[in-house]
Amino acid sequence: MNDRPAAAMRDSGVTAVSAPEGRGTLDPVALVELIFFAYRDFIGEPDRVLERYGFGRAHHRVLHFVNRNPGLTVAELLSILDITKQSLGRVLRDLVAGGFIVQKAGQQDRRQRLMYLSATGTALAEELLGLQTRRMGRALERLSEAEVAAVTGFLGGLIDADQRSEVARLTRLTLDQRRR
């Protein structure tokens, strides 16, 4: 039997987490694993679509955020993705060369590069988003409104506190961490 999860919990100093409304305790290592498995399946379908284009997850993230925020600057995208300029440069070159992203000069500052999706880029971004929103919908349809709020609060709680307001702005969600 593998004793690594127990050792990891012991080494982290966390043994259990109280569940809401006195429903016992939750094993934090099991929750970490659940997030890994959920992410694997959540991103699996889009990964297979992206493979057809020779793209990866970084391409997906760029397409997603430019689709949701047309006119993003490179600096804003770097901040959102928390990646290096070199990493973003490689991905942007692929997307621009493939005709998925169009860059335009800013109106106030002509040195600024504002990013927009082309029709091809929009079609791909929407296909990927459709796969993920359908999966999300199937998972959420079983939950009450209060449970959906709890899921949002839980996921918001995983985001670094100093980043929550920016994530809330980008996602158009309220990431309130107060217990109800």
Side-chain angles (χ1 to χ4, degrees):
M1 184 156 148
N2 185 348
D3 194 35
R4 277 185 265 163
M9 265 183 51
R10 187 177 54 252
D11 294 346
S12 72
V14 177
T15 56
V17 178
S18 294
E21 301 175 26
R23 295 184 200 165
T25 57
L26 301 172
D27 175 355
V29 174
L31 286 176
V32 167
E33 291 170 346
L34 189 59
I35 289 173
F36 283 140
F37 288 121
Y39 182 71
R40 175 198 67 192
D41 294 348
F42 178 73
I43 200 69
E45 289 175 298
D47 280 352
R48 288 186 287 281
V49 171
L50 290 162
E51 276 180 26
R52 295 192 315 239
Y53 299 91
F55 293 163
R57 291 179 184 170
H59 297 85
H60 183 184
R61 290 189 300 269
V62 169
L63 287 166
H64 175 82
F65 285 105
V66 173
N67 186 42
R68 295 275 290 164
N69 304 279
L72 269 180
T73 66
V74 169
E76 290 168 328
L77 194 53
L78 285 169
S79 176
I80 289 168
L81 299 177
D82 195 23
I83 61 174
T84 66
K85 196 171 187 177
Q86 182 179 5
S87 296
L88 179 59
R90 179 187 55 78
V91 170
L92 277 179
R93 272 191 300 281
D94 293 345
L95 292 170
V96 169
F100 295 90
I101 286 189
V102 176
Q103 295 181 351
K104 299 179 182 177
Q107 292 196 358
Q108 279 80 23
D109 184 348
R110 305 291 296 160
R111 296 170 298 175
Q112 243 182 359
R113 290 184 298 157
L114 307 179
M115 292 175 282
Y116 298 88
L117 294 185
S118 66
T120 305
T122 299
L124 179 55
E126 292 295 330
E127 179 183 1
L128 300 171
L129 186 58
L131 293 169
Q132 292 182 308
T133 55
R134 283 189 295 279
R135 177 176 291 274
M136 194 74 63
R138 288 190 303 270
L140 292 172
E141 71 187 1
R142 304 177 323 197
L143 303 179
S144 70
E145 193 173 318
E147 289 168 324
V148 170
V151 168
T152 303
F154 172 75
L155 292 173
L158 293 176
I159 298 165
D160 288 344
D162 65 335
Q163 295 294 311
R164 282 190 202 124
S165 63
E166 179 61 8
V167 170
R169 182 186 71 77
L170 288 166
T171 61
R172 300 155 181 94
L173 291 172
T174 301
L175 301 177
D176 187 351
Q177 294 302 301
R178 290 175 285 159
R179 267 212 128 112
R180 295 171 206 251

